[in-house]
Amino acid sequence: MILFLTKTMLIDGSKIRINTYNPRLANAEEHYVRGSIYDASGNQLAYTKVEADGTKTRVYPFGEAYAHITGYSLRSKTCLELVLNEALLSSDRFTDQLEYLFGGEDIRGNNAILTIDGGLQQKAYEMLKDVHGAIVISEPSTGKILALVSTPSYDPNTVSEDWEDLTSRDDSPLYSRALQGQYPPGSTFKIITSLAAYRDGSLRNYEYDCQGEVEIGATTLPCYHSTAHGQQDIYDAFAISCNTYFATLGLKIGGDDLRKTAESLHLNDRIDFVLPQSMSHVTVSDADNEQMIAETAIGQGQNQITPFSMNMIASAIGNGGMLYRPYIVDRIENTEGKTVEKYLPSMYDNAVMKAEEAEYLEGLMDGVIAYGTAYMLNDLPCDVYGKTGTAQIAEGDDTEPHSWFTGYTKVGGKTGIAITVMIENGAESYPALPIVHDLLNYYYTR
Ligand SMILES: [Zn+2]
């Protein structure tokens, strides 16, 4: 008894411990009312309801909108319900423990407050709920995650009843597409190709006369709708997303340098974050044939990038080359609202790229909105810098390509938020761009 009442250290250092199974906590679940999880404005995302007969039920008031953040708490736990298990089943209030000892009352566990912007999360979920896709929104200047949405989703309130269906469906609603979905990045990869060209130095002023398509090895790579873009420098080619320009530029850069540039942006790297995720892969090398290198340079080929990784790249550019560690738990509070543990922004990599490289990429990403493929974002009450992408799934596959946008905002020269949207098979039917427009409009005008 005394053993489990002893105040436990919730968190050591900057990392939250992940406990898959802990007999002490399994025991604690009987004597504790599991703490609640809140968004940044104090909306309850998960709480435990206690019936008159003592039965405890975990309730998720927003259902599917937060499923891939909170996870669920049953006999097995996932996502933050798992990561925060120890925090939610601990109390640092001695009086709670006395009440338990002498009054037999259950101890109320600590609460967790997230960095999530509830309005933005809800809005993002609403825009995505009828398609398959992911949205990641963060604050580059701190690393705070403001929204993290994956669809299709599931209702954590009824996950037990729905288990059979959820685990047998082809569209895998239990898995987070934002964190675990590996997708060809399409033209968003041109950010990486452009950075590699800049680092090469001699390729910064590369020009190419686009004829609408180019033959490389055994394949023909077309521009969108085979439009012949004519003479292009990197600013025009980036803004209008000219494939022949970047495919031929990629061949001059070479496979090794494309991969090394990708790796400098933390692709092929396990990201240190509290929720489970897949690693993004860029495997191209000088040993690959020309077709593979050219396809990689325009985001096809073997590239597999998660929306979460892509958003970290946009964050690093928006923050002048410095990347803050992404985090989603702001603090743990006791039941009186006193902070027990606070998480602060911390640097993940202070030199993802040089400031001048970030400035160069910002110049390219500015053109995309000023006169390029994301022109529709130029009426917003913020400056937007970004890149669109249309990613073919595989050669000869006639399903609709995925639709991407990644970028960030500035207001009065100050970096605002980074936003990445990826819609599976949405290129024509449900493109990412109008979603980005509506979310940014909501964020800046609400
Ligand atoms: Zn072109």
Side-chain angles (χ1 to χ4, degrees), residues 21-190:
Y21 181 72
N22 179 332
R24 187 187 64 75
L25 289 175
N27 181 36
E29 195 108 54
E30 289 173 32
H31 306 287
Y32 271 89
V33 179
R34 188 177 182 79
S36 302
I37 302 175
Y38 295 90
D39 72 7
S41 332
N43 298 304
Q44 222 165 20
L45 310 180
Y47 68 94
T48 293
K49 191 170 137 196
V50 185
E51 309 288 353
D53 68 355
T55 315
K56 293 169 190 163
T57 314
R58 195 68 167 162
V59 182
Y60 302 90
F62 297 93
E64 300 186 332
Y66 291 85
H68 296 104
I69 295 175
T70 60
Y72 50 81
S73 174
L74 299 164
R75 290 173 68 155
S76 74
K77 302 179 196 311
T78 59
C79 299
L80 290 182
E81 289 280 32
L82 172 63
V83 172
L84 297 172
N85 197 35
E86 194 162 349
L88 300 172
L89 290 177
S90 305
S91 167
D92 81 323
R93 277 186 74 231
F94 191 58
T95 47
D96 265 344
Q97 307 191 355
L98 287 180
E99 275 163 25
Y100 172 75
L101 271 183
F102 298 109
E105 279 183 44
D106 281 354
I107 305 174
R108 287 172 300 151
N110 293 317
N111 299 317
I113 292 88
L114 309 184
T115 58
I116 292 291
D117 178 324
L120 202 54
Q121 173 78 16
Q122 195 72 22
K123 176 96 180 155
Y125 173 71
E126 287 300 318
M127 302 198 70
L128 223 54
K129 67 177 185 200
D130 296 328
V131 292
H132 296 176
I135 295 177
V136 186
I137 304 177
S138 68
E139 198 174 70
S141 61
T142 59
K144 282 181 183 176
I145 302 297
L146 304 180
L148 187 62
V149 175
S150 172
T151 56
S153 189
Y154 65 93
D155 186 349
N157 292 298
T158 55
V159 70
S160 270
E161 297 90 305
D162 303 340
W163 191 251
E164 193 74 34
D165 173 56
L166 293 173
T167 50
S168 60
R169 271 164 59 181
D170 288 340
D171 59 0
S172 314
L174 290 171
Y175 121 118
S176 170
R177 281 162 167 76
L179 289 158
Q180 295 167 301
Q182 296 164 301
Y183 299 96
S187 295
T188 57
F189 195 88
K190 289 170 185 167

Side-chain angles (χ1 to χ4, degrees), residues 208-213 222-224 226-230 232 237 240-246:
Y208 183 77
D209 187 9
C210 171
Q211 302 296 316
E213 57 182 43
C223 276
Y224 193 56
S226 295
T227 304
H229 292 117
Q232 300 285 304
I240 60 175
S241 212
C242 177
N243 281 340
T244 64
Y245 178 96
F246 279 94

